Amino acid sequence: DLLVYAKYSRSYVSGGKLANIEWKPEIAKSWEAGVKSTMFDGKLRANLALFAVTYDNLQLAQGGSAFALSNPTVANIPVIITGVNVPFKAKGFELELTAAPTRGLTLGANLGYTTTKFDGVLSATVLVTAASGLCGAEFGAVAATPVPTAAQLSALAACETAASPHYKQTLLPAVTSNLWAQWESEPLFGGDARLSVRLDAQIKSSQRFDANDDAPLPGFEPVEKSPSTLILNGRIALSDFDLGPLKTTFALWGRNLTDDKSIQFTGGISGVSRSASF
């Protein structure tokens, strides 16, 4: 009825090179400890896990006109992978509860919390955009040169690194949770048919879409991050109903019953525009 465990693991993503950009393998060193338990004659299951992980040379999808590739046109560089040369750390916990207090009724809840941080300043290869006005002179010198010099790239990289002390992890809400309740009837109509009702709520705290909170594009502050959201889903079903020789299920379900229209994801278009998914 009780399991206590701990583990340590080490994993990696291989490095590589694209034109003049070279990156090292990403190394993740993580540990996890937790407990899994069943109590009250199986009516309550409780699981708790604590975790922490440190990434060296974290690989990120990046792009920008400061990358000096072999192509003389440096205005629009495809997304590439680069490494951050300072440790990136994440830690948190996950709690899961499932209860069956009475016959036919099941309740569930889970809660996850994750916090992240960079231990230092970013690598010079993690760029901010010139559209924000940061490093305008250095960026302009690079953009105006068909093949930027090493000195121009170095000056831009130094400026951007110094101007980006508040890099934030994107698409990672600190808190996620799911609450649900399900009820199932006794057999109906003298057969195997059962009526079931389920309601679940998905909760998510605010998350960032733009990694550099020092430099939002003018006018796009509302889509720099999403608000906290609660999505409500429901389902009513009559299952295993005898319909002639067949056993049939009739169900009525709905997702996002409260019609939440919060932004869930944004992307860049041509460096100065944003697209959004709701």
Side-chain angles (χ1 to χ4, degrees):
D1 294 335
L2 182 66
L3 169 69
V4 178
Y5 71 94
K7 74 170 185 176
Y8 172 82
S9 60
R10 184 180 185 274
S11 57
Y12 76 99
V13 178
S14 62
K17 184 175 182 180
L18 176 62
N20 67 310
I21 303 297
E22 184 174 354
W23 59 97
K24 298 178 180 179
E26 173 186 311
I27 304 296
K29 294 168 285 187
S30 63
W31 65 265
E32 179 181 342
V35 58
K36 299 178 182 290
S37 63
T38 303
M39 299 174 283
F40 305 113
D41 295 326
K43 292 184 178 181
L44 176 64
R45 178 181 297 123
N47 301 329
L48 175 64
L50 308 175
F51 64 89
V53 56
T54 298
Y55 298 89
D56 292 318
N57 301 306
L58 179 68
Q59 295 183 8
L60 301 170
Q62 297 291 331
S65 57
F67 291 114
L69 302 185
S70 56
N71 189 327
T73 303
V74 295
N76 294 291
I77 301 301
V79 172
I80 66 172
I81 300 296
T82 60
V84 174
N85 59 8
V86 295
F88 174 72
K89 295 182 177 181
K91 61 182 178 180
F93 70 86
E94 294 179 355
L95 173 66
E96 180 182 21
L97 302 172
T98 306
T102 62
R103 190 249 164 259
L105 178 63
T106 308
L107 306 174
N110 61 59
L111 174 66
Y113 174 78
T114 305
T115 181
T116 62
K117 62 175 287 189
F118 283 95
D119 282 350
V121 297
L122 290 183
S123 164
T125 54
V126 180
L127 305 181
V128 298
T129 62
S132 65
L134 292 178
C135 306
E138 292 82 358
F139 190 93
V142 169
T145 307
V147 180
T149 66
Q152 289 173 326
L153 291 171
S154 177
L156 177 59
C159 176
E160 288 174 329
T161 301
S164 305
H166 303 303
Y167 184 89
K168 304 295 184 182
Q169 178 68 19
T170 60
L171 303 178
L172 181 65
V175 177
T176 57
S177 181
N178 188 49
L179 309 175
W180 57 272
Q182 180 170 309
W183 174 82
E184 184 177 82
S185 72
E186 296 277 6
L188 303 173
F189 314 124
D192 297 325
R194 296 174 185 269
L195 179 67
S196 63
V197 180
R198 180 183 176 97
L199 191 67
D200 69 83
Q202 299 171 357
I203 303 168
K204 185 168 59 177
S205 65
S206 176
Q207 61 179 337
R208 290 198 61 82
F209 300 129
D210 188 350
N212 185 1
D213 62 359
D214 287 340
L217 294 174
F220 288 95
E221 289 85 352
V223 296
E224 292 293 300
K225 62 181 181 179
S226 72
S228 299
T229 58
L230 187 153
I231 304 297
L232 194 63
N233 308 314
R235 185 177 188 268
I236 301 174
L238 180 64
S239 58
D240 294 329
F241 178 75
D242 291 324
L243 187 64
L246 304 176
K247 284 193 177 294
T248 308
T249 296
F250 297 96
L252 176 66
W253 59 270
R255 294 186 60 82
N256 193 15
L257 299 178
T258 57
D259 195 27
D260 185 282
K261 296 181 179 179
S262 302
I263 293 175
Q264 297 298 304
F265 180 80
T266 65
I269 302 176
S270 301
V272 293
S273 301
R274 283 286 189 267
S275 63
S277 302
F278 297 88

